[in-house]
Amino acid sequence: MAKEIRDVVPAHYVLKIKSFSSFAKNNTEKYESSEFEAGGYKWKLVLFPNGDKSRNGEDHISVYLAISGTSTLQLGGPIHVAVRFSLYDQICDRYLTEQGRVTRLHALKAEWGVPRFMPLKIFTNPSNGYLVDDTCVFGVEVFVIKSSGVGECLTLKDSGLYTHKWKISSFSRLWDTYYYSDAFTVGDHKWKVLLYPNGVSAVRNESLSMFLTLVDSDKLASGQKVNARYVIRLKGPDNEVLHQPAVATNWFSSSEIQRGWQSFMPLKTVCERLTDDSCVIEAEVMELSTTGKLP
């Protein structure tokens, strides 16, 4: 149990007891509060004013949280809760609060608490502020932990670096808006290089545009993404590298199947460097990881 002193009143239920000494006079071993609701369930605060002797709580105040009726547990299965018990210090106007661990409640275990919450010797001493004029105040907070199912599963890959070469013999005769290379496999997915010989619309007739495309994006599960590290080079005569941008790392998905460079290289420079009108587009790709919804 983690203890703290705080000013905030317990959020879910407060039990004020007057004439506390009457519990002993009337031989009352146990008191159950009225029902209260928290986290979609109904609960009771259970107090053993002279200690729960069955759980080694002699000479202590024992406090428990109990779900009201076990039919809810039988129908819905076990639930997980985090509980905070509080005791009001009437002198300092603050609450001594103890945070319990997360516990699982079910039909055979419908309550949880602290048999030795506070020694009676400390509790009954008026100078400590917990029992003043035979009056005390207990409180409880209940936090039901429900999994929303939201999360992701990250799978790290070790696909190795794959190099794909695409040879183009007559670059100046590429009249179509764009061209795809043959498909190649890296890791668990298929890829292509996408070439715009005269650039995409934003840089038309100014720059060469080049992209890496995930071919089988339609086979990705809902929310699944693929992380890849890649670079695309343009090589000219004698295998000379005419241009190589910085290595990129990007996520690919069904809604974003291509990543790369719209201004890969100025067209004027391309025409000047391709002296025999042929080139090789070389793509190096490594699949790093995939991520998707939890199964």
Side-chain angles (χ1 to χ4, degrees):
M1 298 287 287
K3 294 184 180 181
E4 67 172 352
I5 304 295
R6 72 183 205 187
D7 300 320
V8 182
V9 177
H12 297 134
Y13 196 75
V14 172
L15 173 63
K16 184 175 183 178
I17 303 172
K18 296 181 177 181
S19 300
F20 182 86
S21 60
S22 295
F23 281 134
K25 294 176 182 177
N26 297 328
N27 294 319
T28 302
E29 295 184 358
K30 175 181 177 181
Y31 177 79
E32 292 187 359
S33 73
S34 301
E35 286 185 344
F36 64 95
E37 187 171 336
Y41 296 89
K42 292 184 177 181
W43 309 89
K44 289 184 178 182
L45 178 60
V46 181
L47 176 71
F48 287 77
N50 293 298
D52 182 3
K53 298 177 179 58
S54 67
R55 300 178 185 176
N56 197 32
E58 296 90 344
D59 302 320
H60 284 72
I61 294 288
S62 303
V63 289
Y64 298 93
L65 174 75
I67 195 163
S68 184
T70 58
S71 58
T72 302
L73 293 174
Q74 291 171 341
L75 292 173
I79 58 175
H80 295 82
V81 296
V83 186
R84 291 180 187 153
F85 295 110
S86 295
L87 181 58
Y88 181 49
D89 183 339
Q90 301 172 60
I91 296 175
C92 298
D93 189 26
R94 304 178 79 180
Y95 287 86
L96 170 66
T97 301
E98 295 200 16
Q99 168 75 54
R101 60 177 174 78
V102 175
T103 189
R104 185 169 69 105
L105 300 180
H106 48 80
L108 298 179
K109 181 190 173 185
E111 69 177 27
W112 181 87
V114 189
R116 300 171 70 86
F117 180 72
M118 178 177 285
L120 284 171
K121 185 176 181 180
I122 295 176
F123 174 78
T124 56
N125 187 339
S127 65
N128 291 323
Y130 302 120
L131 184 64
V132 177
D133 295 330
D134 210 20
T135 298
C136 59
V137 180
F138 290 88
V140 64
E141 293 175 335
V142 189
F143 301 95
V144 178
I145 300 173
K146 298 179 180 179
S147 174
S148 64
V150 177
E152 68 177 82
C153 179
L154 174 67
T155 304
L156 301 178
K157 302 287 186 176
D158 185 18
S159 67
L161 187 65
Y162 179 86
T163 302
H164 178 77
K165 295 183 179 181
W166 178 17
K167 186 175 181 180
I168 299 175
S169 299
S170 301
F171 186 86
S172 62
R173 296 183 182 181
L174 299 178
W175 308 116
D176 291 340
T177 303
Y178 59 86
Y179 294 85
Y180 282 105
S181 73
D182 292 335
F184 54 95
T185 301
V186 182
D188 298 326
H189 298 91
K190 293 184 180 298
W191 307 83
K192 288 183 179 180
V193 175
L194 171 60
L195 167 67
Y196 285 80
N198 292 299
V200 296
S201 58
V203 293
R204 183 68 51 81
N205 298 322
E206 295 179 5
S207 181
L208 188 72
S209 300
M210 202 99 70
F211 302 92
L212 178 67
T213 301
L214 179 62
V215 177
D216 51 3
S217 60
D218 57 328
K219 296 181 180 179
L220 296 178
S222 176
Q224 186 178 10
K225 297 184 295 182
V226 181
N227 190 224
R229 181 181 297 143
Y230 61 97
V231 67
I232 300 176
R233 304 182 188 92
L234 180 64
K235 291 186 172 183
D238 301 321
N239 208 36
E240 178 188 3
V241 177
L242 304 182
H243 183 67
Q244 174 181 313
V247 176
T249 301
N250 293 117
W251 287 99
F252 295 78
S253 65
S254 57
S255 61
E256 196 160 16
I257 65 172
Q258 63 189 40
R259 304 294 294 267
W261 302 268
Q262 68 173 13
S263 298
F264 182 86
M265 186 177 180
L267 283 175
K268 182 180 178 180
T269 306
V270 173
C271 294
E272 292 174 350
R273 301 293 299 276
L274 294 182
T275 55
D276 64 353
D277 205 28
S278 66
C279 65
V280 174
I281 295 173
E282 186 175 273
E284 286 188 352
V285 184
M286 177 185 293
E287 185 176 320
L288 302 177
S289 60
T290 61
T291 185
K293 295 180 180 180
L294 288 173

